[in-house]
Coordinates of all heavy atoms in Angstrom, one line a residue:
M1 N 196.7 61.5 76.4 CA 197.3 62.8 76.1 C 197.6 62.9 74.6 O 198.1 62.0 74.0 CB 198.6 63.1 76.8 CG 199.2 64.4 76.5 SD 200.8 65.0 77.1 CE 201.1 64.1 78.5
K2 N 197.2 64.0 74.0 CA 197.4 64.3 72.5 C 198.7 65.0 72.4 O 199.0 66.0 73.2 CB 196.2 65.0 71.9 CG 196.2 65.2 70.5 CD 194.9 65.8 70.0 CE 194.8 65.8 68.5 NZ 193.5 66.2 68.1
R3 N 199.5 64.8 71.3 CA 200.7 65.5 71.0 C 200.8 65.7 69.5 O 200.7 64.8 68.8 CB 201.9 64.7 71.5 CG 203.2 65.4 71.5 CD 204.3 64.6 72.1 NE 203.9 64.2 73.5 CZ 204.6 63.3 74.2 NH1 205.6 62.6 73.6 NH2 204.2 63.0 75.4
V4 N 200.9 67.0 69.1 CA 201.0 67.3 67.7 C 202.1 68.3 67.4 O 202.5 69.1 68.3 CB 199.7 68.0 67.2 CG1 198.5 67.0 67.3 CG2 199.3 69.3 68.0
H5 N 202.6 68.2 66.2 CA 203.6 69.2 65.7 C 202.9 70.0 64.7 O 202.2 69.5 63.8 CB 204.7 68.4 65.0 CG 205.8 69.4 64.6 ND1 206.2 69.5 63.3 CD2 206.7 70.2 65.3 CE1 207.2 70.4 63.2 NE2 207.5 70.8 64.4
V6 N 202.9 71.4 64.9 CA 202.1 72.3 64.1 C 203.1 73.3 63.3 O 204.0 73.8 64.0 CB 201.2 73.1 64.9 CG1 200.4 74.1 64.2 CG2 200.3 72.2 65.7
R7 N 202.8 73.5 62.1 CA 203.6 74.5 61.3 C 202.6 75.6 60.8 O 201.6 75.2 60.2 CB 204.3 73.9 60.1 CG 205.5 73.1 60.5 CD 206.2 72.5 59.2 NE 207.3 71.7 59.7 CZ 207.2 70.4 60.0 NH1 206.0 69.8 59.9 NH2 208.2 69.7 60.4
I8 N 202.8 76.8 61.2 CA 201.9 77.9 60.8 C 202.6 78.8 59.7 O 203.7 79.2 59.9 CB 201.6 78.8 62.1 CG1 201.0 77.9 63.2 CG2 200.7 79.9 61.7 CD1 201.9 77.7 64.4
H9 N 201.9 79.0 58.7 CA 202.4 79.7 57.5 C 201.7 81.1 57.4 O 200.5 81.2 57.8 CB 202.1 78.9 56.2 CG 202.7 77.5 56.2 ND1 203.9 77.2 55.6 CD2 202.3 76.4 56.8 CE1 204.2 76.0 55.8 NE2 203.2 75.4 56.5
G10 N 202.3 82.0 56.7 CA 201.7 83.3 56.4 C 202.6 84.4 57.0 O 203.8 84.2 57.2
Q11 N 202.0 85.5 57.4 CA 202.7 86.6 58.0 C 202.6 86.3 59.5 O 201.7 86.8 60.2 CB 202.1 88.0 57.7 CG 202.8 89.1 58.3 CD 202.1 90.5 58.0 OE1 201.4 90.6 57.1 NE2 202.4 91.4 58.8
V12 N 203.6 85.5 60.0 CA 203.6 85.0 61.4 C 204.8 85.3 62.1 O 204.9 85.0 63.4 CB 203.3 83.5 61.4 CG1 201.8 83.3 60.9 CG2 204.3 82.7 60.6
Q13 N 205.9 86.0 61.5 CA 207.0 86.4 62.2 C 207.0 87.9 62.4 O 206.6 88.6 61.5 CB 208.3 85.9 61.6 CG 208.4 84.4 61.7 CD 209.8 83.9 61.2 OE1 210.7 84.6 60.9 NE2 209.9 82.5 61.0
G14 N 207.5 88.4 63.5 CA 207.5 89.8 63.7 C 206.2 90.4 64.1 O 206.0 91.6 64.1
V15 N 205.3 89.5 64.5 CA 203.9 90.0 64.9 C 203.5 89.4 66.3 O 202.4 89.4 66.6 CB 202.9 89.5 63.9 CG1 203.1 90.2 62.5 CG2 202.8 88.0 63.7
W16 N 204.5 89.0 67.1 CA 204.3 88.5 68.4 C 203.6 87.2 68.5 O 203.0 86.8 69.4 CB 203.6 89.6 69.3 CG 203.8 89.4 70.8 CD1 205.0 89.5 71.4 CD2 202.9 89.0 71.7 NE1 204.8 89.2 72.8 CE2 203.5 88.9 73.0 CE3 201.5 88.6 71.7 CZ2 202.8 88.5 74.1 CZ3 200.9 88.2 72.8 CH2 201.5 88.2 74.0
F17 N 203.8 86.4 67.4 CA 203.1 85.1 67.4 C 203.7 84.1 68.4 O 202.9 83.4 69.1 CB 203.3 84.4 66.0 CG 202.2 83.5 65.6 CD1 201.2 83.9 64.7 CD2 202.1 82.2 66.2 CE1 200.2 83.0 64.4 CE2 201.0 81.4 65.9 CZ 200.1 81.8 65.0
R18 N 205.0 84.1 68.7 CA 205.5 83.2 69.6 C 205.1 83.6 71.1 O 204.7 82.7 71.8 CB 207.0 83.2 69.6 CG 207.6 82.5 68.3 CD 209.0 82.6 68.1 NE 209.4 84.1 68.0 CZ 210.6 84.6 68.2 NH1 211.6 83.8 68.5 NH2 210.8 85.9 68.1
G19 N 205.2 84.8 71.4 CA 204.7 85.2 72.7 C 203.2 85.0 73.0 O 202.8 84.5 74.1
W20 N 202.4 85.2 72.0 CA 201.0 84.9 72.0 C 200.8 83.5 72.2 O 199.9 83.0 73.0 CB 200.3 85.4 70.7 CG 198.9 85.1 70.5 CD1 197.8 85.8 71.0 CD2 198.4 83.9 69.9 NE1 196.7 85.1 70.6 CE2 197.0 84.0 69.9 CE3 199.0 82.8 69.2 CZ2 196.2 83.0 69.4 CZ3 198.2 81.9 68.7 CH2 196.8 82.0 68.7
T21 N 201.5 82.6 71.5 CA 201.4 81.2 71.6 C 201.7 80.7 73.0 O 201.0 79.8 73.6 CB 202.2 80.4 70.6 OG1 201.9 80.9 69.2 CG2 202.1 78.9 70.6
V22 N 202.8 81.2 73.6 CA 203.1 80.8 75.0 C 202.0 81.1 75.9 O 201.6 80.3 76.7 CB 204.5 81.5 75.4 CG1 204.7 81.3 76.9 CG2 205.6 81.0 74.6
D23 N 201.4 82.4 75.8 CA 200.3 82.8 76.7 C 199.1 81.8 76.5 O 198.5 81.4 77.4 CB 199.9 84.2 76.4 CG 200.9 85.2 76.9 OD1 201.9 84.8 77.6 OD2 200.8 86.4 76.5
E24 N 198.7 81.6 75.2 CA 197.5 80.8 74.9 C 197.7 79.4 75.3 O 196.8 78.8 75.9 CB 197.2 80.9 73.4 CG 196.8 82.2 72.9 CD 195.4 82.6 73.3 OE1 194.5 81.7 73.3 OE2 195.1 83.8 73.5
A25 N 198.9 78.8 75.1 CA 199.1 77.4 75.4 C 199.2 77.2 77.0 O 198.6 76.3 77.5 CB 200.4 76.9 74.8
S26 N 199.8 78.2 77.6 CA 199.9 78.1 79.1 C 198.6 78.2 79.7 O 198.3 77.5 80.7 CB 200.9 79.2 79.6 OG 202.2 79.0 79.1
Q27 N 197.7 79.1 79.2 CA 196.4 79.2 79.8 C 195.6 78.0 79.7 O 194.7 77.7 80.5 CB 195.6 80.4 79.0 CG 196.0 81.7 79.3 CD 195.3 82.8 78.4 OE1 194.3 82.5 77.8 NE2 195.9 84.0 78.4
R28 N 195.9 77.1 78.7 CA 195.2 75.8 78.5 C 195.9 74.7 79.2 O 195.4 73.5 79.1 CB 195.0 75.6 77.0 CG 194.1 76.5 76.3 CD 194.1 76.5 74.8 NE 193.1 77.4 74.3 CZ 193.1 78.7 74.2 NH1 194.2 79.3 74.7 NH2 192.1 79.4 73.7
G29 N 197.0 74.9 79.9 CA 197.7 73.9 80.6 C 198.4 73.0 79.7 O 198.7 71.8 80.1
L30 N 198.8 73.4 78.5 CA 199.5 72.6 77.6 C 201.0 72.6 77.8 O 201.6 73.5 78.4 CB 199.3 73.0 76.1 CG 197.8 73.0 75.7 CD1 197.7 73.5 74.3 CD2 197.3 71.6 75.8
H31 N 201.7 71.6 77.3 CA 203.2 71.4 77.4 C 203.7 71.5 76.0 O 203.0 71.2 75.0 CB 203.5 70.1 78.1 CG 202.9 69.9 79.4 ND1 203.4 70.6 80.5 CD2 201.8 69.2 79.8 CE1 202.6 70.2 81.5 NE2 201.6 69.4 81.1
G32 N 205.0 72.0 75.9 CA 205.6 72.0 74.6 C 206.4 73.2 74.4 O 206.9 73.9 75.3
W33 N 206.5 73.6 73.1 CA 207.3 74.8 72.7 C 206.9 75.4 71.4 O 206.1 74.8 70.7 CB 208.8 74.4 72.6 CG 209.0 73.2 71.7 CD1 209.1 71.9 72.1 CD2 209.1 73.2 70.2 NE1 209.3 71.1 71.0 CE2 209.3 71.9 69.8 CE3 209.1 74.2 69.3 CZ2 209.4 71.5 68.5 CZ3 209.2 73.8 67.9 CH2 209.4 72.5 67.6
V34 N 207.4 76.6 71.1 CA 207.1 77.3 69.9 C 208.4 78.0 69.4 O 209.2 78.4 70.3 CB 205.9 78.3 70.0 CG1 206.3 79.4 71.1 CG2 205.6 79.0 68.7
R35 N 208.6 78.1 68.1 CA 209.8 78.8 67.7 C 209.6 79.3 66.2 O 208.8 78.8 65.5 CB 211.1 77.9 67.7 CG 211.0 76.7 66.7 CD 212.2 75.8 66.9 NE 212.1 74.6 66.1 CZ 212.8 73.5 66.3 NH1 213.7 73.5 67.3 NH2 212.6 72.5 65.5
N36 N 210.4 80.3 65.8 CA 210.5 80.8 64.5 C 211.4 79.8 63.7 O 212.4 79.3 64.2 CB 211.1 82.2 64.4 CG 210.1 83.3 64.7 OD1 208.9 83.0 64.8 ND2 210.6 84.4 65.0
V37 N 211.1 79.7 62.4 CA 211.9 78.9 61.5 C 212.5 79.8 60.4 O 211.7 80.7 60.0 CB 211.1 77.7 60.9 CG1 211.9 76.9 60.0 CG2 210.5 76.9 62.0
H38 N 213.7 79.5 59.9 CA 214.3 80.4 58.9 C 213.5 80.6 57.7 O 213.7 81.6 57.0 CB 215.7 79.9 58.6 CG 215.7 78.6 57.9 ND1 215.4 78.5 56.5 CD2 215.9 77.3 58.3 CE1 215.5 77.2 56.2 NE2 215.7 76.5 57.2
N39 N 212.6 79.7 57.3 CA 211.8 79.9 56.1 C 210.6 80.8 56.3 O 209.7 80.9 55.4 CB 211.3 78.5 55.6 CG 210.4 77.8 56.5 OD1 210.0 78.3 57.6 ND2 210.1 76.5 56.2
G40 N 210.4 81.4 57.4 CA 209.3 82.4 57.6 C 208.1 81.8 58.4 O 207.2 82.5 58.6
T41 N 208.2 80.5 58.7 CA 207.0 79.9 59.4 C 207.3 79.9 60.9 O 208.4 80.3 61.4 CB 206.8 78.4 58.9 OG1 208.0 77.7 59.3 CG2 206.5 78.3 57.5
V42 N 206.3 79.6 61.6 CA 206.4 79.3 63.1 C 206.0 77.9 63.3 O 205.1 77.4 62.6 CB 205.5 80.3 63.9 CG1 205.4 79.8 65.3 CG2 206.0 81.7 63.8
E43 N 206.7 77.2 64.1 CA 206.4 75.8 64.4 C 206.2 75.6 65.9 O 206.9 76.3 66.7 CB 207.3 74.8 63.8 CG 208.7 74.8 64.4 CD 209.6 73.7 63.7 OE1 209.1 72.9 62.9 OE2 210.8 73.6 64.1
A44 N 205.4 74.7 66.3 CA 205.2 74.4 67.7 C 204.8 72.9 67.9 O 204.4 72.3 67.0 CB 204.0 75.2 68.2
V45 N 205.1 72.5 69.1 CA 204.6 71.2 69.6 C 203.6 71.4 70.8 O 204.0 72.2 71.7 CB 205.7 70.2 70.0 CG1 205.2 69.0 70.7 CG2 206.5 69.8 68.8
F46 N 202.4 70.9 70.7 CA 201.4 71.1 71.8 C 201.2 69.7 72.3 O 200.9 68.7 71.5 CB 200.1 71.7 71.3 CG 200.3 73.0 70.6 CD1 200.0 73.2 69.3 CD2 200.8 74.1 71.4 CE1 200.1 74.5 68.7 CE2 200.9 75.3 70.8 CZ 200.5 75.5 69.5
A47 N 201.2 69.5 73.6 CA 200.9 68.2 74.3 C 200.0 68.5 75.4 O 200.2 69.4 76.2 CB 202.1 67.5 74.7
G48 N 198.9 67.7 75.5 CA 198.0 67.8 76.7 C 196.7 67.2 76.4 O 196.5 66.3 75.5
D49 N 195.7 67.6 77.1 CA 194.3 67.1 76.9 C 193.8 67.3 75.5 O 194.1 68.4 74.9 CB 193.4 68.0 77.9 CG 191.9 67.7 77.7 OD1 191.5 66.6 78.2 OD2 191.3 68.5 77.0
D50 N 193.2 66.3 74.9 CA 192.8 66.3 73.5 C 192.0 67.6 73.1 O 192.4 68.2 72.1 CB 191.9 65.1 73.2 CG 192.7 63.8 73.2 OD1 193.9 63.7 73.7 OD2 192.2 62.8 72.7
A51 N 191.0 67.9 73.9 CA 190.2 69.1 73.6 C 191.0 70.3 73.7 O 190.8 71.2 72.8 CB 189.0 69.1 74.6
K52 N 191.9 70.5 74.6 CA 192.7 71.7 74.8 C 193.7 71.8 73.6 O 193.9 72.9 73.1 CB 193.4 71.7 76.1 CG 192.5 71.7 77.3 CD 191.8 73.0 77.4 CE 190.9 73.1 78.6 NZ 190.1 74.3 78.7
V53 N 194.3 70.7 73.2 CA 195.2 70.7 72.0 C 194.4 71.2 70.8 O 194.8 72.0 70.0 CB 195.9 69.4 71.8 CG1 196.6 69.4 70.5 CG2 196.8 69.1 73.0
D54 N 193.2 70.6 70.6 CA 192.4 70.9 69.4 C 192.0 72.4 69.5 O 192.0 73.1 68.4 CB 191.1 70.1 69.4 CG 191.4 68.6 69.0 OD1 192.5 68.3 68.5 OD2 190.5 67.8 69.3
E55 N 191.7 72.9 70.6 CA 191.3 74.3 70.8 C 192.5 75.2 70.4 O 192.4 76.2 69.7 CB 190.9 74.6 72.3 CG 190.3 75.9 72.6 CD 189.9 75.9 74.0 OE1 189.1 75.1 74.5 OE2 190.4 76.8 74.7
M56 N 193.7 74.8 70.8 CA 194.9 75.6 70.5 C 195.2 75.6 69.0 O 195.6 76.6 68.4 CB 196.1 75.0 71.3 CG 197.3 75.9 71.2 SD 197.1 77.5 72.0 CE 198.1 78.5 70.9
I57 N 195.0 74.4 68.4 CA 195.2 74.4 66.9 C 194.2 75.4 66.2 O 194.6 76.1 65.3 CB 194.9 72.9 66.4 CG1 196.0 72.0 66.9 CG2 194.9 72.9 64.9 CD1 195.7 70.5 66.7
Q58 N 193.0 75.4 66.7 CA 192.0 76.3 66.1 C 192.5 77.8 66.3 O 192.4 78.6 65.4 CB 190.6 76.1 66.7 CG 189.9 74.9 66.1 CD 189.9 74.9 64.6 OE1 190.4 74.1 64.0 NE2 189.2 75.9 64.1
R59 N 193.0 78.1 67.5 CA 193.5 79.4 67.8 C 194.6 79.8 66.8 O 194.8 81.0 66.4 CB 193.9 79.6 69.2 CG 192.8 79.4 70.2 CD 191.8 80.6 70.2 NE 192.5 81.8 70.8 CZ 192.4 83.0 70.2 NH1 191.6 83.2 69.2 NH2 193.0 84.0 70.8
C60 N 195.5 78.8 66.5 CA 196.6 79.1 65.6 C 196.1 79.5 64.2 O 196.9 80.2 63.5 CB 197.5 77.9 65.5 SG 198.5 77.7 67.0
H61 N 194.9 79.2 63.8 CA 194.4 79.6 62.5 C 194.2 81.1 62.5 O 194.1 81.7 61.4 CB 193.1 78.8 62.2 CG 193.4 77.4 61.7 ND1 193.6 77.1 60.4 CD2 193.4 76.3 62.4 CE1 193.8 75.8 60.3 NE2 193.7 75.3 61.5
E62 N 194.0 81.7 63.7 CA 193.8 83.1 63.8 C 195.1 83.9 64.2 O 195.5 84.8 63.5 CB 192.7 83.4 64.8 CG 191.4 82.8 64.5 CD 190.5 82.9 65.6 OE1 190.6 83.7 66.5 OE2 189.5 82.1 65.6
G63 N 195.7 83.4 65.3 CA 196.9 84.0 65.8 C 196.6 85.4 66.4 O 195.5 85.8 66.6
P64 N 197.7 86.1 66.8 CA 197.5 87.4 67.4 C 197.0 88.4 66.3 O 197.0 88.1 65.1 CB 198.9 87.8 67.8 CG 199.8 87.0 67.0 CD 199.1 85.7 66.7
P65 N 196.5 89.6 66.8 CA 195.9 90.5 65.8 C 196.7 90.9 64.6 O 196.1 91.0 63.5 CB 195.6 91.8 66.7 CG 195.5 91.2 68.1 CD 196.4 90.0 68.2
A66 N 198.0 91.0 64.7 CA 198.8 91.5 63.5 C 199.2 90.4 62.6 O 199.7 90.6 61.5 CB 200.1 92.2 64.0
A67 N 198.9 89.1 63.0 CA 199.3 88.0 62.1 C 198.3 87.8 61.0 O 197.1 88.2 61.1 CB 199.3 86.7 63.0
R68 N 198.7 87.2 59.9 CA 197.9 86.9 58.8 C 198.2 85.4 58.4 O 199.2 85.1 57.7 CB 198.2 87.7 57.6 CG 197.8 89.2 57.8 CD 196.3 89.4 58.0 NE 196.0 90.8 58.4 CZ 195.8 91.2 59.6 NH1 195.9 90.4 60.6 NH2 195.5 92.5 59.9
V69 N 197.5 84.5 59.0 CA 197.8 83.0 58.8 C 197.2 82.6 57.5 O 196.0 82.8 57.3 CB 197.2 82.2 60.0 CG1 197.4 80.7 59.8 CG2 197.8 82.7 61.3
S70 N 198.0 81.9 56.7 CA 197.5 81.4 55.4 C 197.2 79.9 55.5 O 196.4 79.3 54.8 CB 198.5 81.7 54.3 OG 199.7 81.1 54.6
K71 N 198.0 79.2 56.4 CA 197.8 77.7 56.4 C 198.4 77.2 57.8 O 199.4 77.8 58.2 CB 198.5 77.1 55.2 CG 198.5 75.6 55.2 CD 199.0 75.0 53.8 CE 200.5 74.9 53.9 NZ 201.1 74.1 52.8
V72 N 197.8 76.2 58.3 CA 198.3 75.5 59.5 C 198.4 74.0 59.2 O 197.4 73.4 58.9 CB 197.4 75.7 60.7 CG1 197.9 75.0 61.9 CG2 197.2 77.2 61.0
D73 N 199.6 73.4 59.2 CA 199.8 72.0 59.0 C 199.9 71.3 60.4 O 200.6 71.9 61.3 CB 201.1 71.8 58.3 CG 201.1 72.3 56.8 OD1 200.0 72.3 56.2 OD2 202.2 72.8 56.4
V74 N 199.2 70.2 60.6 CA 199.2 69.5 61.9 C 199.5 68.1 61.6 O 198.9 67.5 60.7 CB 197.8 69.7 62.5 CG1 197.8 68.9 63.9 CG2 197.4 71.1 62.7
E75 N 200.4 67.5 62.4 CA 200.7 66.1 62.3 C 201.0 65.6 63.7 O 201.5 66.3 64.6 CB 201.9 65.8 61.4 CG 203.2 66.4 61.8 CD 204.3 66.2 60.8 OE1 204.0 66.3 59.6 OE2 205.4 65.8 61.2
A76 N 200.5 64.4 64.0 CA 200.8 63.7 65.3 C 202.3 63.5 65.4 O 203.0 63.4 64.4 CB 200.1 62.4 65.3
T77 N 202.8 63.6 66.7 CA 204.2 63.4 66.9 C 204.4 62.6 68.2 O 203.5 62.6 69.1 CB 204.9 64.8 67.0 OG1 206.3 64.5 67.2 CG2 204.4 65.6 68.1
E78 N 205.5 62.0 68.3 CA 205.9 61.3 69.6 C 207.0 62.0 70.3 O 207.6 61.5 71.2 CB 206.3 59.8 69.3 CG 205.2 59.0 68.7 CD 204.0 58.8 69.7 OE1 204.3 58.7 70.9 OE2 202.9 58.9 69.3
E79 N 207.3 63.2 69.8 CA 208.4 64.0 70.3 C 208.2 64.3 71.8 O 207.1 64.7 72.2 CB 208.5 65.4 69.6 CG 209.6 66.2 70.1 CD 209.8 67.5 69.3 OE1 209.4 67.6 68.2 OE2 210.3 68.5 69.9
P80 N 209.2 63.9 72.6 CA 209.0 64.2 74.1 C 209.0 65.7 74.3 O 209.7 66.5 73.6 CB 210.3 63.5 74.7 CG 211.3 63.3 73.6 CD 210.5 63.3 72.3
V81 N 208.3 66.1 75.3 CA 208.2 67.5 75.8 C 208.4 67.6 77.2 O 208.0 66.7 78.0 CB 206.8 68.1 75.3 CG1 206.7 68.2 73.8 CG2 205.7 67.4 75.9
D82 N 209.0 68.7 77.7 CA 209.2 69.0 79.1 C 207.8 69.5 79.6 O 207.0 70.0 78.9 CB 210.3 70.0 79.3 CG 211.6 69.5 78.8 OD1 211.9 68.3 79.0 OD2 212.5 70.3 78.4
S83 N 207.8 69.6 80.9 CA 206.6 70.2 81.6 C 206.6 71.7 81.3 O 207.6 72.4 81.3 CB 206.7 69.9 83.1 OG 205.6 70.4 83.7
G84 N 205.4 72.2 81.1 CA 205.3 73.7 80.8 C 205.4 74.0 79.3 O 205.5 73.1 78.5
F85 N 205.2 75.3 79.0 CA 205.3 75.6 77.6 C 206.2 76.8 77.5 O 206.1 77.8 78.3 CB 203.9 76.1 77.1 CG 203.8 76.1 75.6 CD1 203.4 74.9 74.9 CD2 204.1 77.2 74.9 CE1 203.4 74.9 73.5 CE2 204.1 77.2 73.5 CZ 203.7 76.0 72.8
Y86 N 207.1 76.8 76.5 CA 208.2 77.8 76.4 C 208.5 78.2 74.9 O 208.1 77.4 74.0 CB 209.4 77.4 77.1 CG 210.1 76.2 76.4 CD1 211.1 76.3 75.6 CD2 209.7 74.9 76.8 CE1 211.8 75.3 75.0 CE2 210.3 73.8 76.1 CZ 211.3 74.0 75.2 OH 212.0 72.9 74.7
Q87 N 209.1 79.3 74.8 CA 209.6 79.8 73.5 C 211.0 79.2 73.3 O 211.9 79.5 74.1 CB 209.6 81.3 73.4 CG 210.0 81.8 72.1 CD 209.8 83.4 72.1 OE1 208.8 83.9 72.5 NE2 210.8 84.1 71.6
A88 N 211.2 78.4 72.3 CA 212.5 77.8 71.9 C 213.3 78.8 71.0 O 212.7 79.6 70.3 CB 212.3 76.5 71.3
P89 N 214.6 78.6 70.9 CA 215.4 79.4 70.0 C 215.0 79.1 68.6 O 214.6 78.0 68.2 CB 216.8 78.9 70.2 CG 216.8 78.2 71.6 CD 215.4 77.7 71.8
S90 N 215.1 80.2 67.8 CA 214.8 80.1 66.3 C 215.8 79.1 65.6 O 216.9 78.9 66.1 CB 214.9 81.4 65.7 OG 213.9 82.3 66.3
V91 N 215.3 78.5 64.5 CA 216.1 77.6 63.8 C 216.1 78.0 62.3 O 215.2 78.6 61.8 CB 215.8 76.1 63.9 CG1 216.0 75.6 65.3 CG2 214.3 75.9 63.5

């Protein structure tokens, strides 16, 4: 199982990025969470099948139609995740 922490930069808040991420990750059977960060980014942890995680990372480079993604940072993580995928509170 692959597990990554992703930070998405650009115009990614107020454009339904978190809801879109929950839908996209759930469709791929991934576990983890997504949330807004006070600095204007969105961050997420994706855990699951290697190919599905990689596919989700690629989707984050596009985001929902109103988003304008400028950069996606990805790093491996050992952070534990619960079963399912959910929207976490903003930090």
